[in-house]
Amino acid sequence: MRAIYSTLLISFLITLSSAVFADSPTKAELYDGIEITVNINTATAEELSALLVGVGDKKAKEIVDYREKNGEFSSADSLVNVKGIGEATVEKNRERIQL
């Protein structure tokens, strides 16, 4: 019986992780009513890397470095000023980005 529950739990977690980290989000990817958002003015590099599509550790660090040097972002579109972040990345994440 434990084996069945363990298998079900693992299957659920795999499904959850693929929904959270999918490369093509849909309307901020709602999963059981939880909307994935991130404040680009306060998030750590680790949070940015985990929550933004197409943003890995290097780009996330660039976002934080840019913010520390230039001040807070005024809009999601201002992310294109960060080295390695283009309009396509902003569009993929527009529904996730908060200020």
Side-chain angles (χ1 to χ4, degrees):
M1 195 65 159
R2 276 192 214 185
I4 293 172
Y5 287 124
S6 295
T7 303
L8 289 173
L9 178 60
I10 290 170
S11 296
F12 172 75
L13 292 175
I14 290 170
T15 302
L16 175 62
S17 66
S18 64
V20 171
F21 297 107
D23 284 335
S24 53
T26 59
K27 195 105 177 172
E29 285 187 33
L30 292 177
Y31 186 79
D32 286 341
I34 299 172
E35 186 175 337
I36 299 169
T37 60
V38 59
N39 186 320
I40 60 173
N41 287 321
T42 60
T44 65
E46 292 80 14
E47 292 168 330
L48 293 166
S49 176
L51 298 174
L52 293 177
V53 175
V55 175
D57 294 339
K58 184 176 179 180
K59 287 182 185 178
K61 185 175 179 340
E62 292 284 342
I63 292 170
V64 172
D65 290 347
Y66 182 92
R67 182 179 71 207
E68 289 174 352
K69 183 178 180 183
N70 299 289
E72 291 188 347
F73 294 98
S74 59
S75 69
D77 292 315
S78 59
L79 273 176
V80 299
N81 296 321
V82 177
K83 181 180 177 181
I85 304 292
E87 291 180 24
T89 301
V90 173
E91 285 307 315
K92 287 180 191 176
N93 291 288
R94 188 166 300 280
E95 295 294 324
R96 294 173 179 243
I97 296 172
Q98 288 185 340
L99 300 173

